[in-house]
Amino acid sequence: MAELADAAGITVRTLRFYRERGLIPPPRREGRIAWYDERHLARLRTIAALLERGHTLTGIADLTTAFESGRDVGEVLELGPPTEEEPVRLTPEELADHFAGEVTPENLAAALDLGYLATDGEDIVHVSRRLLDVSAALVREGVPLAEVLKAGARVREHAEALAALFAEVLAPHVTDGDFQRLRPLAKSVVEAELSLALDRLLRGTGG
């Protein structure tokens, strides 16, 4: 315990307090000896980084619970081949940097529920680099992350309906193997219609 505290730059008393609060996982025990490892050190560094960003210990405890109750990365990424989305592996600190202090327990839980995030040991995996980049860009433009996630949930509903429509149109006319080959056509239709809808919206608002 003393070695771990020294490596993390905290006191043994602080480390013991974190352990009692459930902020770090229990050590591996061999008889009366408790072994801590890099996993514990990574968690302590995460706690320090979150404290620096203004999170309270209660909030960090909620984050920890959300991480540990989140779905495993294998479950979330079980999309089956093929997929065009590139997953991104992040540390908690890197995730916080992307969203400038908006990684609250509530937002993290919402992202886990949406399936945007999964946990893999001490790392976090975002299922889509494109969604990560767009979400971060919207936050930088001043849109609260909570609102971005709410919008994401609504977009998800419409996207799934569009995918079902595409499958319904094609099903009577193509084999299963053609769906992937024709996938770019469905995306082009959606992108073009969205572009036209935005044109109409901007003309209507005088933008």
Side-chain angles (χ1 to χ4, degrees), residues 171-186:
H173 311 290
V174 302
T175 64
D176 290 344
D178 289 326
F179 277 93
Q180 175 62 15
R181 181 173 59 84
L182 297 175
R183 178 174 176 163
L185 299 181

Side-chain angles (χ1 to χ4, degrees), residues 157-179:
E157 294 176 4
H158 293 296
E160 289 182 347
L162 289 168
L165 175 61
F166 176 64
E168 180 183 338
V169 169
L170 289 183
H173 311 290
V174 302
T175 64
D176 290 344
D178 289 326
F179 277 93

Side-chain angles (χ1 to χ4, degrees), residues 28-177:
R28 177 175 58 86
R29 292 195 173 276
E30 291 182 4
R32 299 180 62 183
I33 301 176
W35 293 99
Y36 294 90
D37 55 27
E38 290 298 322
R39 186 169 52 109
H40 296 92
L41 182 57
R43 176 64 63 84
L44 290 171
R45 286 173 174 164
T46 298
I47 292 170
L50 291 172
L51 286 172
E52 286 179 3
R53 289 175 172 83
H55 290 277
T56 65
L57 285 177
T58 299
I60 294 171
D62 290 340
L63 283 171
T64 301
T65 300
F67 280 137
E68 293 175 350
S69 64
R71 287 177 290 174
D72 176 77
V73 63
E75 177 187 346
V76 173
L77 298 181
E78 191 70 28
L79 303 176
T83 178
E84 297 176 353
E85 298 309 307
E86 177 191 357
V88 184
R89 185 175 293 272
L90 302 159
T91 65
E93 293 88 345
E94 289 169 338
L95 182 67
D97 287 341
H98 268 81
F99 295 105
E102 295 219 22
V103 182
T104 63
E106 294 78 14
N107 287 340
L108 180 61
L112 287 166
D113 288 343
L114 270 172
Y116 284 174
L117 297 181
T119 56
D120 187 18
E122 289 293 328
D123 285 343
I124 303 164
V125 177
H126 196 294
V127 296
S128 168
R129 180 176 294 279
R130 289 194 292 183
L131 285 175
L132 174 65
D133 290 345
V134 169
S135 299
L138 287 170
V139 170
R140 288 195 299 272
E141 291 293 333
V143 182
L145 181 56
E147 296 302 317
V148 172
L149 292 170
K150 287 179 183 177
R154 295 177 63 189
V155 170
R156 169 76 56 81
E157 294 176 4
H158 293 296
E160 289 182 347
L162 289 168
L165 175 61
F166 176 64
E168 180 183 338
V169 169
L170 289 183
H173 311 290
V174 302
T175 64
D176 290 344

